[in-house]
Amino acid sequence: MSYNLHDQTFHKIDFTQKPLIKGEYENCLFTNCNFEEVNLTEFKFVDCEFRDCNWSMALLHGTVLREVKFKGCKMLGLQFEMCNDFGLSFSFENCQLNHSTFFQMNIKKTIFRNCQLREIDFSESNLTGVIFDNCDLAQAIFVHSILEKADFRTAYNYSMDPENNRLKKAKFSVLGISGLLDKYDIVIQE
């Protein structure tokens, strides 16, 4: 028997102490909840929103994330590539995603707004049309990534090799251009 919950609100629940029942959660709101290191294997979250939650180091094997919004969440060290990729879609606003991985993922048109994306691995991912709005990409890894039409105009601290990534029609600001030239170890002055 499958557990299905719709239109529910979960507030200030520590799921490390009170386990979340495995099943499908649709149109649910989670606020100030703790999922740190929780095993979310094969859970389904559809049209859900997570506000000010801690998802750090949660296990995401086969986890379904469809039309999910993360706002103000701490999400350190997550392996998003372990998620179920069928219908995968999410957005992030004011989140800390440092040390997480999106290796070989197809996350076209995903929006990252005001996020910390330090030391994130985007290697071999399809990031076509992704928006990095005011995001810190210090030491983020872009290797053999598809970044066509991606928007880096307000992103900062990124470094990538244009020869090892597809950048056709990607958008950059004049101030951020140096992040495309790091491999040449040249000095750029204003």
Side-chain angles (χ1 to χ4, degrees):
M1 186 168 122
S2 180
Y3 185 74
N4 293 309
L5 226 76
H6 302 276
D7 306 309
Q8 298 293 310
T9 297
F10 300 86
H11 183 64
K12 288 189 177 180
I13 299 173
D14 185 348
F15 292 115
T16 65
Q17 304 298 315
K18 179 183 177 189
L20 189 64
I21 298 170
K22 186 181 282 191
E24 182 172 329
Y25 295 81
E26 188 171 343
N27 199 36
C28 292
L29 174 64
F30 296 83
T31 60
N32 296 99
C33 294
N34 185 17
F35 295 87
E36 186 170 12
E37 297 184 12
V38 169
N39 186 347
L40 297 173
T41 296
E42 297 183 5
F43 276 71
K44 293 181 181 178
F45 298 102
V46 179
D47 291 315
C48 290
E49 184 170 327
F50 296 88
R51 291 186 200 151
D52 303 311
C53 294
N54 182 0
W55 271 59
S56 296
M57 302 298 290
L59 300 176
L60 302 176
H61 297 278
T63 305
V64 172
L65 298 172
R66 287 192 197 120
E67 299 298 323
V68 173
K69 295 177 183 172
F70 294 100
K71 295 182 178 181
C73 293
K74 183 177 178 184
M75 309 176 80
L76 307 177
L78 294 177
Q79 295 179 315
F80 286 98
E81 69 271 15
M82 299 304 226
C83 290
N84 182 323
D85 61 359
F86 182 76
L88 181 74
S89 61
F90 39 49
S91 63
F92 304 90
E93 185 175 336
N94 299 314
C95 293
Q96 293 180 38
L97 290 134
N98 303 337
H99 307 286
S100 294
T101 61
F102 292 88
F103 181 69
Q104 293 183 334
M105 293 190 71
N106 183 355
I107 55 171
K108 293 179 183 179
K109 298 182 181 177
T110 297
I111 297 172
F112 295 93
R113 184 164 281 127
N114 301 316
C115 291
Q116 283 186 13
L117 302 169
R118 298 178 188 150
E119 298 183 55
I120 285 225
D121 188 356
F122 288 113
S123 296
E124 299 179 29
S125 292
N126 186 343
L127 303 165
T128 301
V130 168
I131 296 172
F132 294 102
D133 182 17
N134 194 37
C135 292
D136 183 355
L137 289 159
Q139 297 179 328
I141 301 168
F142 296 97
V143 177
H144 303 296
S145 303
I146 302 170
L147 298 162
E148 296 177 354
K149 299 180 184 174
D151 190 341
F152 290 89
R153 289 178 295 180
T154 58
Y156 52 96
N157 294 331
Y158 56 84
S159 177
M160 68 186 75
D161 184 347
E163 294 173 24
N164 288 327
N165 294 286
R166 289 178 32 197
L167 296 173
K168 188 174 184 179
K169 299 202 185 231
K171 299 172 186 167
F172 299 92
S173 70
V174 171
L175 295 174
I177 283 294
S178 63
L180 300 174
L181 303 172
D182 285 343
K183 81 173 196 169
Y184 300 111
D185 196 25
I186 60 177
V187 178
I188 301 170
Q189 293 182 330
E190 287 185 35

